[in-house]
Amino acid sequence: MLPGSLQAARSLAATRVLDGADLADTLAVLHRDPVANAFVATRVEAVGLDPWRLGGEMWGWHDQDGRLESLCYAGANLVPINAGPQAVRAFAERARRQGRRCSSIVGPAEPTAELWALLERSWGPAREVRGHQPLMATTEPATEVAPDPLVRRVRRDELELLMPACVAMFTEEVGISPLAGDGGLLYQARVAELVSGGRSFARISEQGEVVFKAEIGAVTQGACQIQGVWVAPAHRGRRLSEAGMAAVLEIALREVAPVVSLYVNDYNLPARAAYHRVGFREVGAFMSVLF
C-alpha cells in the first residue's frame, strides 16, 4: 500500500459513526463550548444520535487512549466540532470517500478552513466561501438600546404573514431561494416548527406587514443562538434591528438560556455595529462554505 493510501486508511479507521451508546460522551464534547456548538448540540439534546431522527450521521474521532475527542455532524451541513488537525484529516477522508451530500460546510473558522482545504479538490468549486464570520455572544440585556415593545412572539395563525419575510431573508443571506427544489416544503416546516415552539419573534404592523423578524434557532442547556434577523427594506436605516434585537435578547435571557449568541458575515458592517450596540461581543469566528 502506498504511504498516502496507508495514511488515509489510518485516518478513516480513526473515525466511526456514533450511536446511542456514545450519547453521554458526545454531549460532553459538545458542552465544552456551548456557544460555538449550539447548532449541533440542540439537535443532539433533543433527539439523540439516531441518524434518521438527527437528520444525519455524527462521526466521532478518538485519541490514542480511546477517548472521544472530536465530532463531525454530517447532514445537510458538514460541521466539525472540537476538531484538531488529526481529526480534521480523518473527517475529510471519510467525507471525501462518501461524496458530498451537504449544502454547506460550516463551523469554527480554523478547522473548517482546514477541512475545506482537504476537500476542495474533490468537492469544489464552492458557490461561495465566507472565510470569517464573527461569532458574538452576551449574557446581559441591552443597556444602550431600548427594547422595541412591539416585538413579540409570532402566533401560529400568522405563519402565512411571516413566510414571505423568511423567504426574503433566506434569499438575501444565502443567495438562493429556499423555495427551490421541493417548493419550500422543508423550509416552511422548519419555520412552522419555530413558530410553534415560541422561538419566532416579529414586529407586525396593523396592516399585517412584517417590519422586523428574528428567530432563536438553537437552544441548549447552556446557550441559545439567534438567527434570521431581518428588517423589511422599506424600514431600513431606522435602527429597528437594534431595538428588535434588544427585545429578542431580553426574552431569550429571561426565558431561554443564560448565554445568547449569533454569528454574522464580516462584511456586514452595519449589522455588526448594531449587534455591538445591543451588547454582543465577539468570542470567536465561524466559516461557511456554500455549495
Side-chain angles (χ1 to χ4, degrees), residues 49-279:
L49 292 172
D50 176 75
W52 187 85
R53 299 184 67 201
L54 188 61
E57 296 178 339
M58 185 68 78
W59 302 340
W61 181 85
H62 296 74
D63 66 15
Q64 293 181 343
D65 296 322
R67 289 188 295 264
L68 181 64
E69 282 294 320
S70 304
L71 307 169
C72 187
Y73 172 71
N77 317 102
L78 192 68
V79 186
I81 298 158
N82 196 49
Q86 287 182 288
V88 168
R89 286 194 295 271
F91 293 144
E93 182 60 26
R94 180 174 286 272
R96 186 188 64 78
R97 294 196 179 197
Q98 177 179 277
R100 184 173 71 82
R101 303 177 183 178
C102 60
S103 60
S104 69
I105 306 173
V106 59
E110 185 174 343
T112 301
E114 294 173 357
L115 188 59
W116 176 232
L118 293 169
L119 288 173
E120 183 174 10
R121 184 174 179 179
S122 55
W123 278 20
R127 178 170 57 85
E128 185 178 357
V129 176
R130 300 176 181 179
H132 184 82
Q133 298 170 295
L135 175 65
M136 310 179 76
T138 184
T139 59
E140 301 290 339
T143 57
E144 298 181 11
V145 178
D148 186 342
L150 298 180
V151 169
R152 56 172 175 80
R153 283 186 167 90
V154 178
R155 301 192 306 266
R156 295 183 184 183
D157 63 352
E158 295 173 317
L159 181 60
E160 290 188 6
L161 290 177
L162 182 66
M163 274 304 298
C166 292
V167 170
M169 178 281 303
F170 188 98
T171 305
E172 287 182 30
E173 172 65 21
V174 180
I176 58 174
S177 171
L179 304 182
D182 66 352
L185 293 177
L186 286 175
Y187 185 69
Q188 183 164 339
R190 174 56 175 162
V191 174
E193 177 187 4
L194 292 172
V195 171
S196 296
R199 289 158 53 186
S200 178
F201 302 85
R203 174 176 175 170
I204 302 175
S205 72
E206 293 181 358
Q207 292 73 36
E209 178 189 14
V210 175
V211 175
F212 163 88
K213 76 156 200 79
E215 294 89 39
I216 299 176
V219 176
T220 73
Q221 296 175 2
C224 66
Q225 189 174 89
I226 296 175
Q227 65 179 36
V229 181
W230 182 84
V231 174
H235 298 276
R236 292 175 184 174
R238 297 165 49 192
R239 295 195 167 179
L240 293 177
S241 64
E242 295 179 21
M245 282 294 290
V248 176
L249 173 61
E250 184 177 71
I251 296 170
L253 288 172
R254 184 176 66 242
E255 302 179 15
V256 182
V259 182
V260 181
S261 70
L262 55 84
Y263 66 97
V264 60
N265 294 316
D266 60 352
Y267 55 78
N268 193 344
L269 298 181
R272 292 174 65 182
Y275 299 149
H276 271 288
R277 283 191 288 269
V278 174

